[in-house]
Structure formats: structure tokens, C-alpha cells
Amino acid sequence: MKPAAFEYRKASTVEEAVEQLTQLGDDAKLLAGGQSLVAMMNFRLVRPSALVDVKGILDLQYVEANGEGLKIGALTPHRWIETMEDPGVLEGFSVLKSAARWVGHYPIRTLGTFGGSIAHADPSAEWCMLATLLDAEMVVVGPGGERMIPASDFFQGFFTTALEPDEMIIEVRFPEPAPYAALQEFARRAGDYGIVAAAVALDLQGGECRSARVVLGGVSDVPLRIPEAEQVLEGADIGQEVFKEAGQEAAKVIDPPSDVQGTAEYRRDLAATLIQRALTEAVAKVKEAADAR
Ligand SMILES: Cc1cc2nc3c(=O)[nH]c(=O)nc-3n(C[C@H](O)[C@H](O)[C@H](O)COP(=O)(O)OP(=O)(O)OC[C@H]3O[C@@H](n4cnc5c(N)ncnc54)[C@H](O)[C@@H]3O)c2cc1C
């Protein structure tokens, strides 16, 4: 199927993009990599009256570590994250690189953008989950200027965010390194969104967990933090027993949907297993780091 007719414009700066969105009204949309938007237009799930193509704003393609946090330009392709080699970035944010392999297929990773995925706000999207896990902030520009939106306020529902129709994400900021973070997911076919995905981040002292973050994708209409699983981990001696308990606790408290991909019960089982796997991977990173010293 082909999309309904729309007006096409190009912007070569952020200011131009915002100005065009303001002029064109609420039915206009930004076009970044087109990997979600064009498919939805082809299926007539969305019918924007106009597209403002921002792919040419190349100064929004970057991944920058500033000693502590990490900044990712909104138009950075997924593939850049997958292939990043800068030790300054990888030391604290290797979870982004390892999670990138789960994002769609190679052509999608080449064309799709980091900011596009965040704006699209699929609750199973890897970048949306990691933004929630690691307290990222979205830097957004609109007609009134720039504002920052924390991930906890940004994702408001299925494909729904705190963005106004005339605002553009220009950057995503991760405030602190998370060396012991991991993401695991399960999809029936390679390249599909995970039916369920689990992301975890640990702060460990010796064998004890000082603090933990656990986020699930595919079980709710937003990436979902699971404080009950975090409480099981915090203060506990780490090991498979406590990882299993954290997964089981999460399975108890979530209320996932049933659909053609699987029943709610199946998603609960997946959540428990994937949390356990992600925790195991995060701890393996701690051991690797200790061995490398
Ligand atoms: C078969 C298939 C499998 C996929 N599997 C996965 C997967 O496993 N995991 C995953 O995360 N993604 C997956 N994707 C989606 C892919 O990652 C997209 O690249 C991403 O969701 C959207 O990025 P984009 O740059 O292509 O944005 P577009 O498709 O161009 O835009 C998507 C939406 O975001 C808005 N938008 C784009 N950029 C901005 C911005 N800077 N500021 C404000 N609004 C903006 C657009 O207006 C539009 O509403 C898959 C896609 C396909 C087709």
C-alpha cells in the first residue's frame, strides 16, 4: 500500500525544522530515518498532512562522552551505536552497544535514528528502555526555545510522549556511566521487536548489591520500572538464587497484555527468565572488569 498524499519539506537546521512544524500545524510530522513513520504511513495507520525531512541536519549525528555522562545526537543512526569503539564511551555505556544488535535488521539500523526511536516511543524499543533505566533526559527544541524532559516524564503511553507537535528532540543525555548494565530480550524472529525485554543496572560492592535498576519492555504501554524486583536485589548477596527471586517478584507484579505474540502468562515467564539472564550478564561484566585490572 502507498501512503496518503502529503506535503514534503526539507529542513537543514533545527530552527528551520521547528519553524516549519509551527507553520504546517499539528498534523505535520518530522521525518528522520523513516523506519517507523513510513511503514505506518504505508499501512495508513497515520496520515500526516506534511513531512519535514530532517535527515540532512548532520550536526545532530554524534556520540560524545564528557568524562561522566554521554550525549547522543538525535539523528545518530542505530548502526553508529552498534559499531562504536571509543573506550571513553564503552567504559560506562557498553550496554548501548550490546543492545544495538537487538534493534531491527541491518538496513533498519543503518537508516533509523536514536532520536526517532525515542520519539516513536514503542515500549519494547531498546533505546526507550535504556533511557528509562539510566535516567536519560531528552533535549527538546520548540518555538519557545529549549527544554529538558526526563525519561520518567517523557514516555506517557503506547507511541505517546511529552513532546508537543511543534517540538524536535535534538539530543539524548545519559547523566551517569552504568558499567554494569545489560539488556536481554526474546523475539521469535531475528530483527523483530522483543516480545518481552529486560534491562538491568547494578551498583555492586564486593559480592553485595548496593543499588539496582530493573526495567521491562513489552509488558506495559511504557518501559516499566519494577521497584519490587529492585528491592529484592538491594542489600542482597548477588547470585543466581537472588536473581531468580528478583525475576519471580517482577513476574508477580506485572500485568502484561495477551495478544497474538503470547499470553500474559507467557510474558510473565519471559520477564522472570530475561531478568535473571540480564542480571547474570551484568555481573559477568563486573568479573571481566576485575580480571582486566
Ligand atoms: C521491521 C522493523 C523492525 C524493527 N525492529 C525494531 C526493534 O527491534 N527495536 C527498535 O527499537 N526499533 C525497531 N524498529 C524501528 C526502528 O528502530 C526505527 O528506526 C525507529 O523506531 C524510528 O527511528 P527513525 O529515525 O526511523 O524515525 P522515523 O520513522 O522517521 O520517525 C518516527 C517518529 O518519530 C518522530 N521523530 C523522528 N525524529 C524525531 C526527532 N528528532 N524529534 C521529534 N520527533 C521525531 C517522527 O515524526 C515519527 O513520528 C523496527 C522497524 C522495522 C520496520
Side-chain angles (χ1 to χ4, degrees):
M1 221 157 122
K2 288 184 179 158
F6 59 90
E7 189 178 338
Y8 175 82
R9 302 243 189 124
K10 255 184 175 175
S12 49
T13 63
V14 171
E15 293 68 31
E16 230 177 86
V18 170
E19 202 178 299
Q20 302 219 27
L21 283 179
T22 311
Q23 275 172 16
L24 291 162
D26 289 3
D27 289 340
K29 279 195 170 291
L30 294 177
L31 174 68
Q35 295 305 292
S36 295
L37 180 57
V38 173
M40 290 178 84
M41 286 170 68
N42 286 343
F43 283 113
R44 308 267 171 128
L45 294 170
V46 289
R47 292 177 183 223
S49 56
L51 294 186
V52 180
D53 187 342
V54 290
K55 274 196 305 291
I57 312 180
L58 297 182
D59 53 1
L60 290 186
Q61 293 188 330
Y62 56 86
V63 180
E64 275 173 22
N66 64 2
E68 292 190 343
L70 186 75
K71 297 176 176 182
I72 300 182
L75 291 169
T76 306
H78 308 313
R79 178 74 180 152
W80 282 32
I81 314 289
E82 188 181 14
T83 55
M84 61 190 183
E85 294 296 346
D86 178 355
V89 175
L90 291 182
E91 214 164 282
F93 298 96
S94 63
V95 65
L96 287 160
K97 182 179 166 104
S98 54
R101 76 194 155 101
W102 299 105
V103 180
H105 309 277
Y106 177 74
I108 291 159
R109 293 200 290 275
T110 311
L111 292 165
T113 66
F114 202 90
S117 173
I118 295 279
H120 185 57
D122 188 299
S124 310
E126 290 74 10
W127 304 149
C128 301
M129 290 181 62
L130 292 180
T132 302
L133 183 81
L134 304 179
D135 283 334
E137 288 188 306
M138 315 328 153
V139 185
V140 165
V141 173
E146 193 173 299
R147 67 180 179 126
M148 310 274 286
I149 312 177
S152 52
D153 295 338
F154 187 83
F155 300 109
Q156 298 193 337
F158 205 68
F159 299 152
T160 307
T161 71
L163 275 179
E164 296 295 336
D166 51 5
E167 285 184 318
M168 174 174 179
I169 302 173
I170 57 164
E171 185 177 274
V172 178
R173 289 188 191 161
F174 291 88
E176 277 180 29
Y180 308 121
L183 186 147
Q184 287 279 332
E185 68 181 56
F186 178 77
R188 287 215 169 84
R189 299 179 310 184
D192 283 356
Y193 279 101
I195 298 173
V196 174
V200 303
L202 294 176
D203 179 6
L204 300 175
Q205 179 140 53
E208 191 186 307
C209 174
R210 282 200 297 205
S211 66
R213 275 289 183 105
V214 177
V215 167
L216 287 172
V219 302
S220 174
D221 59 354
V222 291
L224 196 64
R225 252 190 90 181
I226 313 288
E228 294 82 354
E230 294 168 1
Q231 278 157 23
V232 169
L233 294 160
E234 280 164 6
D237 288 336
I238 53 161
Q240 288 304 322
E241 213 167 296
V242 76
F243 295 170
K244 189 172 176 187
E245 196 187 329
Q248 284 172 342
E249 195 58 33
K252 260 193 244 161
V253 297
I254 57 177
D255 183 18
S258 288
D259 60 24
V260 65
Q261 300 267 25
T263 60
E265 202 46 42
Y266 178 61
R267 280 190 163 85
R268 272 194 213 98
D269 284 351
L270 272 182
T273 303
L274 291 168
I275 286 173
Q276 195 176 348
R277 279 190 199 161
L279 288 166
T280 306
E281 187 186 331
V283 168
K285 287 186 179 180
V286 182
K287 294 212 172 92
E288 273 166 34
D291 291 347
R293 270 185 227 122

